[in-house]
């Protein structure tokens, strides 16, 4: 079983739709959960960073972590064409003083005007 | 403007040639990282450095080398021993070395074979 599973899509939605992006993981030691947005030919940009189970909201973006189910989500409300990008989920933990970071493969999202 | 600067944006390598990718940060971050990104694959860690003059191999270090002579700089050399170097290379940095700080990325260098 892979440590992090992320549906690669592609996902295509109309402008204004609510988008749900998800990742599952198998390593219960993961403590920190991140979502990055990556535009074509650019580096990943940090969108959300969470530690505990529950929801964290930032503008149109909500990150949700369910540690009991080993499941994280990113919701985008009122999606815009500028949200078209690849979204990466990333999880990390500290083991023996060093960080272990695992990236999902990314979900490609297109928001159509 | 604080950030991570990678150069060049595009780079071409001839057979048997070593090439060096530059990564500079002015965020006063302690740790720096190099990743390789291939289509349909997650980011894979090449090398990382948590402190000046020290660095560790990541998951795919073969055919690559790094140095960390200054806190701000972490250049990556792709040697001729790397037989499949065509990829998008990303440099990242973060404050501290534990998992409680997120990494921040540069805008990458795309390396191709001539």
């Amino acid at each position: 079983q892979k440590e992090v599973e992320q549906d690669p899509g592609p996902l295509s939605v109309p402008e204004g739709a609510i988008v749900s992006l998800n990742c599952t993981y198998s390593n219960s030691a993961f403590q920190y959960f991140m979502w990055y947005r990556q535009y074509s030919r650019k580096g990943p940009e940090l969108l959300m960073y969470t530690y505990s189970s529950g929801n964290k909201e930032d503008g149109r973006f909500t990150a949700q972590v369910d540690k009991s189910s080993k499941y994280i989500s990113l919701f985008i409300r009122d999606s815009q064409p500028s949200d078209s990008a690849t979204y990466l989920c990333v999880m990390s933990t500290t083991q023996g003083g060093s960080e272990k970071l695992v990236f999902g493969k990314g979900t490609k999202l297109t928001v159509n005007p | 403007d604080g950030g991570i600067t990678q150069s060049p944006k595009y780079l071409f390598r001839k057979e048997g040639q070593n090439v060096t990718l530059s990564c500079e940060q002015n965020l006063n971050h302690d740790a720096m990282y190099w990743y390789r990104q291939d289509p349909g694959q997650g980011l894979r860690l090449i090398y990382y450095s948590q402190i000046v003059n020290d660095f560790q191999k990541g998951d795919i270090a073969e055919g690559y080398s790094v140095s960390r002579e200054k806190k701000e700089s972490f250049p990556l050399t792709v040697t001729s021993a790397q037989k499949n170097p065509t990829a998008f290379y990303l440099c990242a940095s973060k404050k501290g070395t534990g998992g409680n700080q997120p990494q921040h990325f540069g805008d990458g260098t795309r390396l191709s074979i001539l």
Side-chain angles (χ1 to χ4, degrees), chain B residues 2-113:
Chain B
I4 301 168
T5 302
Q6 289 188 243
S7 62
K9 196 172 177 67
Y10 300 96
L11 188 57
F12 298 91
R13 195 191 89 169
K14 295 179 182 178
E15 287 287 335
Q17 186 182 42
N18 294 350
V19 292
T20 297
L21 284 61
S22 170
C23 178
E24 304 277 333
Q25 55 96 1
N26 61 4
L27 301 167
N28 197 31
H29 282 177
D30 304 289
M32 297 186 74
Y33 306 80
W34 275 105
Y35 293 93
R36 171 180 172 140
Q37 188 174 37
D38 295 280
Q41 296 198 39
L43 274 69
R44 292 184 290 169
L45 182 64
I46 304 173
Y47 268 99
Y48 66 100
S49 168
Q50 296 182 317
I51 195 169
V52 173
N53 292 323
D54 188 47
F55 47 83
Q56 311 295 329
K57 291 182 179 180
D59 301 317
I60 55 165
E62 187 173 347
Y64 301 98
S65 66
V66 293
S67 63
R68 186 90 185 273
E69 296 177 3
K70 298 186 299 181
K71 188 175 184 179
E72 306 78 28
S73 179
F74 191 42
L76 173 74
T77 296
V78 184
T79 75
S80 56
Q82 172 49 245
K83 297 306 179 190
N84 184 23
T86 298
F88 190 47
Y89 290 87
L90 288 161
C91 178
S93 69
K94 64 182 281 183
K95 190 71 176 170
T97 57
N100 60 344
Q101 293 289 337
Q103 294 184 16
H104 299 270
F105 288 84
D107 272 340
T109 292
R110 187 165 298 278
L111 176 62
S112 303
I113 294 295

Side-chain angles (χ1 to χ4, degrees), chain A residues 37-56:
Chain A
R37 176 176 63 196
Q38 186 175 20
Y39 292 116
S40 181
R41 299 186 185 88
K42 292 286 191 180
E45 171 194 8
L46 181 68
L47 278 179
M48 301 290 277
Y49 174 69
T50 58
Y51 171 69
S52 56
S53 280
N55 292 353
K56 181 178 181 179

Side-chain angles (χ1 to χ4, degrees), chain A residues 18-47:
Chain A
I18 296 175
V19 176
S20 172
L21 304 167
N22 312 294
C23 288
T24 59
Y25 62 96
S26 58
N27 187 348
S28 58
F30 286 135
Q31 301 166 294
Y32 306 98
F33 305 90
M34 291 148 276
W35 286 95
Y36 286 82
R37 176 176 63 196
Q38 186 175 20
Y39 292 116
S40 181
R41 299 186 185 88
K42 292 286 191 180
E45 171 194 8
L46 181 68
L47 278 179

Side-chain angles (χ1 to χ4, degrees), chain A residues 19-22 35 47-48 61-63 72-76 87:
Chain A
V19 176
S20 172
L21 304 167
N22 312 294
W35 286 95
L47 278 179
M48 301 290 277
F61 299 91
T62 299
I72 69 170
S73 299
L74 178 71
F75 298 98
I76 307 174
Y87 290 80

